Amino acid sequence: IVMTQTPLSSPVTLGQPASISCRSSQSLVHSDGNTYLSWLHQRPGQPPRLLIYKISNRFSGVPDRFSGSGAGTDFTLKISRVEAEDVGVYYCMQGTQFPRTFGQGTKLEIK
Amino acid sequence: EVQVLESGGGLVQPGGSLRLSCAASGFTFNNYAMTWVRQAPGKGLEWVSLISRSGDYPIYADSVKGRFTISRDNSKNTLFLQMNSLRAEDTAVYYCVKGRDYNGMGDAFDIWGQGTMVTVSS
C-alpha cells in the first residue's frame, strides 16, 4: 500500500491552524472492521513519536490541539493552533497490511 | 518508564554482518509485537521487520528478506536483528519499536528507541 502525503512542506504561523493530508493507494479498512492509520511526529535529531492511532485516537500525552480524521483512503491530521514545538516532520503510516508503509513525510516549519 | 534501547550499530564493509540488540523495560515484553524501522540519512521511515509476541511469526520487507533475521528472547526482554550480506543501501539509523496493540501485530508503533546507526561502506 502506497501512502501519499500532501503537502511535502508547510510553512505556518504560530497560533494558526495546520493541516496535512494522507492518501492510501487502497482502502485501509481491515477485515476486523478497524482502520489502522496512524500519525507520527519527528523533531530534528529525535526519533519519531506516535501522535494518533486508528485514525483519530490520540496517544497518551498528546495535546488535544492534534486531531485526526478520515476514512477509507483519505485521512487528515489537523493542528488547531501551531506551537513552536510542533516543528519537524509528520508521517502517516498504515498498519492494516504487511509490509507496513509510511508516507514520505511533511515538513512543518514556522514562517 | 516504558523504554527500548538499541545497541550494536557500527561501520561494516559491504557483504559483512552485524547484529543489533534492543533491551526493553517498563512493560510486559512478551505481550507485544516488536518491530525494526530504519531511516537512511536525510530520508523518510522504512519498515524493516516485525516479530509476533511469541516469536513464531517473523515478517520482513522485501528489501531485506533472505538477508536479515529478526528474533526475540522473551526471558531477557530483548529483541534482535541479525543483518547479513549488508549493502550500502542498508546504511541507516535502525529504530527498535514496540507495537501498540496488546496481543496484536503492530497496528501502530508507540514506543521508539533512540536508534543505532549502521554504516555499510568500504
Side-chain angles (χ1 to χ4, degrees), chain A:
Chain A
I1 298 177
V2 177
M3 306 298 288
T4 304
Q5 291 180 228
T6 54
L8 297 184
S9 179
S10 180
V12 296
T13 302
L14 288 175
Q16 293 301 302
S19 179
I20 300 169
S21 294
C22 176
R23 177 168 290 179
S24 57
S25 60
Q26 55 187 275
S27 174
L28 297 186
V29 179
H30 193 275
S31 57
D32 65 8
N34 289 305
T35 300
Y36 296 113
L37 185 283
S38 58
W39 290 94
L40 303 108
H41 175 217
Q42 185 175 32
R43 295 187 179 109
Q46 295 294 314
R49 64 171 185 133
L50 180 65
L51 294 176
I52 302 279
Y53 63 94
K54 286 200 293 186
I55 302 178
S56 60
N57 295 272
R58 274 189 302 276
F59 185 58
S60 174
V62 175
D64 60 7
R65 65 179 182 275
F66 291 93
S67 64
S69 62
T73 61
D74 288 282
F75 306 93
T76 302
L77 175 71
K78 291 183 180 177
I79 310 173
S80 59
R81 294 173 305 280
V82 171
E83 297 188 5
E85 64 180 17
D86 299 337
V87 298
V89 181
Y90 290 80
Y91 296 93
C92 60
M93 189 203 90
Q94 66 82 16
T96 296
Q97 287 187 21
F98 286 101
R100 302 299 192 228
T101 46
F102 296 89
Q104 323 95 298
T106 295
K107 187 173 184 179
L108 188 75
E109 49 197 5
I110 305 301
K111 280 182 185 175

Side-chain angles (χ1 to χ4, degrees), chain A residues 38-42 46-51 59 91 93 102, chain B residues 2-6 22 27 34-39 45-47 93-99 108-115:
Chain A
S38 58
W39 290 94
L40 303 108
H41 175 217
Q42 185 175 32
Q46 295 294 314
R49 64 171 185 133
L50 180 65
L51 294 176
F59 185 58
Y91 296 93
M93 189 203 90
F102 296 89
Chain B
V2 178
Q3 60 181 2
V4 294
L5 181 63
E6 307 91 340
C22 170
F27 63 99
M34 296 293 295
T35 199
W36 291 96
V37 174
R38 68 185 180 184
Q39 186 170 36
L45 302 171
E46 180 189 11
W47 174 80
V93 174
Y94 284 73
Y95 294 105
C96 167
V97 197
K98 171 185 168 290
F109 302 141
D110 61 355
I111 304 299
W112 294 66
Q114 290 296 312

